[in-house]
Structure formats: structure tokens, C-alpha cells
Amino acid sequence: MLYSIEEKEGCIYNKIIERGENEMCGNNELKFSIFLIHSLAKEWKKSPKEVYDLLNTTKILDDYIISCYDSLHSLGKEYLVRDITEFVREKGVNV
């Protein structure tokens, strides 16, 4: 069963498992992804579900946030929000 962000806490993990990608996403990566999704949602004035869907469809969640966790997690929140916002815009999405 798939949950939306508003329906159940931890739903991002559920979605990742449903997609069969739980092997590549450990607990630290999951917490970091959730932190970034909520930070971006606040900055972009969107719901966390909308941000998750946007990051997922552009492959930024898997190919950048999760796969580059080791490098990204030590950076500041403001820098990360600015960096990911620029990356999303480079993909042609207006946020």
C-alpha cells in the first residue's frame, strides 16, 4: 500500500520500498531526504508530497540526494536548499 506524505508519517520510506529501492536507501539517507523535502517544501511553499513527487520525477531524489548523501549531509540547510533549487530549475522546473 502506498501512503501520501499527509496520510502517514514515514510514507517516503514506504514509497521507496514500494519502488523496490530500499537497498540503496539506509536510515540516514531516509532521514536526510525527509529533512530536505520538508525544507524545500517550506521554501517553495508547496506540500512535502508535491516536493517529493517533483524530486522523484526529475530523478533528483535518487540520483543526487540519496546517492550523494555522504557529501551532502555535512552541508548547511540554506546551501542545500539553494543548490537543489538551482538543480531543479536546470531540469526545467519552475519553483
Side-chain angles (χ1 to χ4, degrees):
M1 175 179 257
L2 261 184
Y3 300 96
S4 75
I5 289 176
E6 292 79 19
E7 291 176 329
K8 182 173 179 173
E9 185 178 351
C11 64
I12 294 170
Y13 180 68
N14 290 333
K15 284 187 177 184
I16 291 170
I17 288 174
E18 290 289 331
R19 289 176 22 216
E21 299 170 11
N22 57 327
E23 298 86 19
M24 70 177 282
C25 184
N27 194 41
N28 289 336
E29 290 89 345
L30 174 64
K31 289 178 183 177
F32 180 68
S33 298
I34 292 169
F35 163 76
L36 279 178
I37 288 168
H38 283 272
S39 298
L40 291 165
K42 184 176 180 180
E43 178 71 21
W44 297 348
K45 297 175 180 43
K46 295 184 179 289
S47 73
K49 182 184 182 332
E50 290 174 306
V51 173
Y52 169 81
D53 290 341
L54 190 147
L55 295 176
N56 189 40
T57 57
T58 59
K59 306 291 186 206
I60 292 172
L61 181 61
D62 292 335
D63 296 346
Y64 184 59
I65 295 171
I66 292 173
S67 67
C68 297
Y69 165 78
D70 289 336
S71 299
L72 296 176
H73 82 279
S74 62
L75 301 172
K77 175 182 164 181
E78 293 79 15
Y79 176 83
L80 289 167
V81 167
R82 191 170 47 247
D83 182 55
I84 295 170
T85 299
E86 289 175 17
F87 194 15
V88 167
R89 288 178 178 154
E90 287 174 13
K91 296 252 185 188
V93 179
N94 189 18
V95 292

